[in-house]
Structure formats: C-alpha cells, structure tokens
Amino acid sequence: MRLAAHGSALDLPTGWDGRIWTRSGGGPVLHAANVALPATDGDFATRATGTLPAGGVVIVLVDYGPDEAGTPLFAAPAPDRIDPAELSPTTLLQRRPGQRGLQRFFTTAGRAMCLYVVVGSAAHASDLAGGVSRVLGTLRVAAPAG
C-alpha cells in the first residue's frame, strides 16, 4: 500500500497500517506500524507504543518544515535503513519493559524531520529493524511549496 499525503510518501508492506495528517500549528506527522494504529494518537505515537506487542514496530516521521532544515540538529541526511544495534531503551519517549527505540533528526528535500522508531522487544529487534529499513527505503519527500 502506498501511503502519501502532505508531501511525504512511502510504501507499507501488506498488513501494515499507516496515516499522515497535519498537526495543529505544525507540519505533517506520519505513523506506520505492523499492528493496527489507534484512531487518534500524539505526534510520537504514545498510544500505539503503549500497547505494542513484542513483535510490533511503530515508525513516526515528524516534519518540522523548512525553517529548521540544515540546522545543526537536522544536518544529517535522510536515513534509508536502521541498524538493530542503534535501538535502545534510552531513546524512548516513554520507557516500557522490553521496548527499544531510536531517534534521528535529518534534512531531506528542504524539510527538517525527526524519525522515531519503537520496537516491542529487543528479542525481535533484528527482524523488525530489517522491516523498518525496507519501509524507509521507499520514503519520498517533496520540497516545500513556495
């Protein structure tokens, strides 16, 4: 399934769920997961990650727009893969037993973005990181209008 809106697009594997919306007063937010997503959630998917099973993964992309693009925090290029060794409990917004995550800030197509990934269990981190990398490899972001 191709998920596309607000200048961002990626391909989701069969059985995945995803949505893109524009947050009030801010830019687009993308959530994708290999489990059903709640109807509503915060920018960093705290509801989805709160019920994440051991084999679950949630991918979040938050678009901070062009104003922050290229600044030191967002200086890295867009990630197209993740390494399971990068997944850590210390990067979680809310620490939950067994969960691991990562955060990456980057600029692509003139947009400053944050990638946040949460996996349900360290035991499944290698397989889940591979799935996340396949999804990230399909990410396309359009330059901001204007």
Side-chain angles (χ1 to χ4, degrees):
M1 171 177 81
R2 185 79 170 157
L3 181 63
H6 305 290
S8 295
L10 51 70
D11 295 328
L12 298 180
T14 301
W16 280 53
D17 192 8
R19 61 185 53 98
I20 304 173
W21 72 94
T22 301
R23 62 197 200 298
S24 178
V29 175
L30 180 151
H31 287 181
N34 67 352
V35 297
L37 291 167
T40 61
D41 208 338
D43 289 356
F44 290 94
T46 54
R47 292 177 100 185
T49 59
T51 59
L52 196 61
V57 61
V58 175
I59 301 170
V60 173
L61 285 164
V62 178
D63 184 339
Y64 290 96
D67 292 345
E68 297 295 321
T71 62
L73 178 62
F74 296 98
D80 61 357
R81 61 177 293 286
I82 64 167
D83 183 333
E86 295 177 274
L87 296 165
S88 166
T90 62
T91 59
L92 295 171
L93 180 61
Q94 293 184 344
R95 285 191 184 189
R96 295 187 176 96
Q99 290 187 355
R100 301 291 184 268
L102 69 78
Q103 295 179 39
R104 285 200 189 157
F105 298 88
F106 61 94
T107 293
T108 188
R111 294 173 183 259
M113 301 186 87
C114 175
L115 168 68
Y116 179 60
V117 175
V118 178
V119 299
S121 167
H124 298 282
S126 184
D127 290 338
L128 295 171
V132 170
S133 294
R134 284 188 292 280
V135 170
L136 288 178
T138 70
L139 177 65
R140 301 295 175 261
V141 178

